[in-house]
Amino acid sequence: MERSKEEFLRRFGEDYGYPNAPKNIDEIRASEFKRLQGLVYLDHAGAALYSEAQMEAVVKDLTSNVYGNPHSLNDSSMATSDIISAARQQVLNYFNASPKNYVCIFTSGATAALKLVGEGFPWSRESWYMYTMENHNSVLGIREYALDRGATALAVDIEDVKLHGRQEGTNESSVRILKHSVQRRAEAKFPQDGMIGKLSDNAYNLFAFPSECNFSGQKFCLDLVKVIKDDAQKIFEGSQGGQWMVLVDAAKGSATDPPDLARYPADFVVFSFYKIFGYPTGLGALVVRTEAARILTKTYFSGGTVSASIADIDFIKRREHIEQVLEDGTLSFLAIASIRHGFNVIDALTTSAISRHTTSLAAYVRNMMMDLKHENGVNVCTIYGRDIAKVLSLDLGATITFNLRRADGSWYGYHEVEKLACLSGIQLRTGCFCNPGACAKYLGLSHSDLLSNYEAGHVCWDDKDVLHGKPTGAVRISFGYMSTFEDAEKFLSFLEISFVAKHKSSNGKCQLSTEAVPLSGIGWQQLAGNVQLKSIMVYPVKSCAGFSMYSWPLSNMGLKYDREWLLKGPSDEILTQKKVPEMCNIRTFVDLEQGKLFLESPRCKEKLQVSLAKNSFWEMEEMNAYGQRYEVMTYDDEVNMWFTEAIARPCTFVRCSSSKKRSCMNKVGREGQCRDSESKLTFVNEAQILLISEDSVHDLNSRLNSNMQKDYSGSGQPVLVDAMRFRPNLIISGAKPYVEDSWRSLQIGEAHFTSLGGCNRCQMINLDQQSGQVRKLKEPLATLASYRRVQGKILFGVLLRYEDCIMEDGEEKNGKERWLQVGQEVYPSID
């Protein structure tokens, strides 16, 4: 890394690290961001990080001063009013906006500021709302107000803008615009003759664009402000009248390059403070030109916004100050008091230095990513942006959005990248980042693609990352003022280790299988070494502790009573250890002779007993879980209160009464979460039974030991696991490591099972459950990811379906109740 850093500093040394600031970048990280030790944070476009000194200053301020409600005249109220006035001025200074021309309206964030503009703008049937394709959903949302009031909406692509707004010596506009389809609501009049329309001279129109695209990092030329305001009629063709106003979404760009409103006099600028310096959240502002503010109308009035009102007649007198009219009620004045401490951090470094620092890191990483290739010469990274190979680094922010390809040209899913990044201690962002226009534009997704993806079940924040051979979203990294060269190098190293194909080496690995094979026509073999069933585990309540038995019966749903109960939250969400790790401390046991389920928890004084008999008087209801519709039985308040106490949160205990065969294929045939589409299932994720090989666990532990992977506490002890970490139903021994991957089916005693392929593992196996205290680790999933990754899945163990119906003389017959018993030999069928 030392040589790489020397080369980096030779190129970017004047821009990197704040050489002229009170503290350089290394000192800032060591003293102000100790919590980032061992962590690479690369989602500054999503949220900036607050510094320790900043928060210490906030705490000292709030614990040393008394700030009262500003709607009064006592001393504490006046102190708050002074703080708010100073904060407004500080915001205007940040954007170089004169208080003669601009006012600062505090809101709950950039989105609320945009909503305020959309609600208050004087839309009419002659108005136009135009916006660039590369815009956040919160900007697109203004379209609803415009269309509802009869205005016309139009998305555009900015093809080119000259740096100085107008070509010297000509009267031609310096912007080229590509128009998309005109949008009007059914009740509004459509433009005729293919023309955009003729506007009334009294109409108000709005053009919106971001100072920096939060998807690609592309910076928009702020000369657009003057170009649109001065030359709209020429740019948009036709004899258009009315007044054009410009809105700049600075939510992303304000952290490094806040718009200079003295130079680019936009009418509306919106932003959030947490995007700049991390704290406070839930606070933003609308910086609005005074003339533009006067056209915004507001119907609702609240405390602090009126000079007088009478309760029983229609009389109000609104206040004259624009801020008081457009802000609702009591401001978040303690949050406002905190922003000066954030600005102090930024002022000490200067925004120009922050911009140079972050841009240098992004330029370095971008160039290194473009050079990454697989051994066959295929590029690993596809980076999104306007002609990314030619664009100047000055035109790009500190954001890089990309997707990754395998050596055969297929795509790695962004969900896989995020999952592996988390295991490597790297925090990044995936998806479309609430910017559907930029996402579709750069990923080449047509309207039919987008609608087809939605029909396939793809929605925001899901893990359907590749559909029909195309990515549905991307991976985004973004740098902040406290990012370091070491952060960049760790990210690049992660890419190379995890995604760049090197010369292949078998290393004794077995070929992994993820396909289910029918049971018929298979000959049984016994492996050398006498593979045996070593343990049987049953987990009656999903995500709670299970119990081990020497023998146990099978049912048409797998092991009898396995995952037949679950806990759901107040909003009907299914509770698991991912959300409630403490569930592992609830111990369970089923006594077949007594016909009862016994439960105990260290948080409950009494044990709970639940009858196994299905009472016809119980209340029945339906619920959806894991792509299947279930009929479930509910329990009384006494049972629910026991579980509420056990996990320290409200919950409801339900039992699976019946389920239909699960359909895990969506409308376009893509595999859903479940693997077993032919069986009736209890509350399992994918299949009836999970089998783990003790020998495969031993191999994993040898890798953990040889790699000396450390847990998060830094204790220096390698993380070793036993088979129970994987919550198996069946544990076998006597087989070679991972040979179970190749089994098509198997027989244990008289019971026959079909293999459905490997089990895709998640962060849940990193929870250490044996100590009684839940510890979140990175292992063993991180090590498994290094050698057990197939098509985005990290596989360990195999999923089984119990074949309770067998074929005899060409006829399907229901089998008798069969029992599994520890010590029985395992007879697999091998490919």
Side-chain angles (χ1 to χ4, degrees), residues 334-348:
L334 295 183
I336 293 173
S338 301
I339 66 174
R340 60 174 171 160
H341 305 295
F343 277 124
N344 288 343
V345 173
I346 303 302
D347 292 342

Side-chain angles (χ1 to χ4, degrees), residues 130-135 154-163 173-180 207-211 213 216 218-225 227-228 235-236 244 246-247 385-387 437 441-442:
M130 295 191 188
Y131 53 90
T132 57
M133 282 289 287
E134 297 179 59
N135 256 312
L154 180 69
V156 300
D157 278 309
I158 304 297
E159 295 293 303
D160 184 37
V161 180
K162 299 300 180 184
L163 290 178
S173 170
S174 60
V175 60
R176 293 201 304 270
I177 288 181
L178 173 66
K179 305 181 187 72
H180 292 262
F207 185 90
F209 72 96
S211 62
C213 175
S216 66
Q218 179 72 39
K219 294 181 183 179
F220 279 72
C221 180
L222 291 175
D223 283 329
L224 263 176
V225 173
V227 170
I228 296 298
I235 295 170
F236 302 132
W244 280 91
V246 179
L247 182 154
R386 283 184 56 196
D387 198 2
K441 174 181 177 178
Y442 289 119

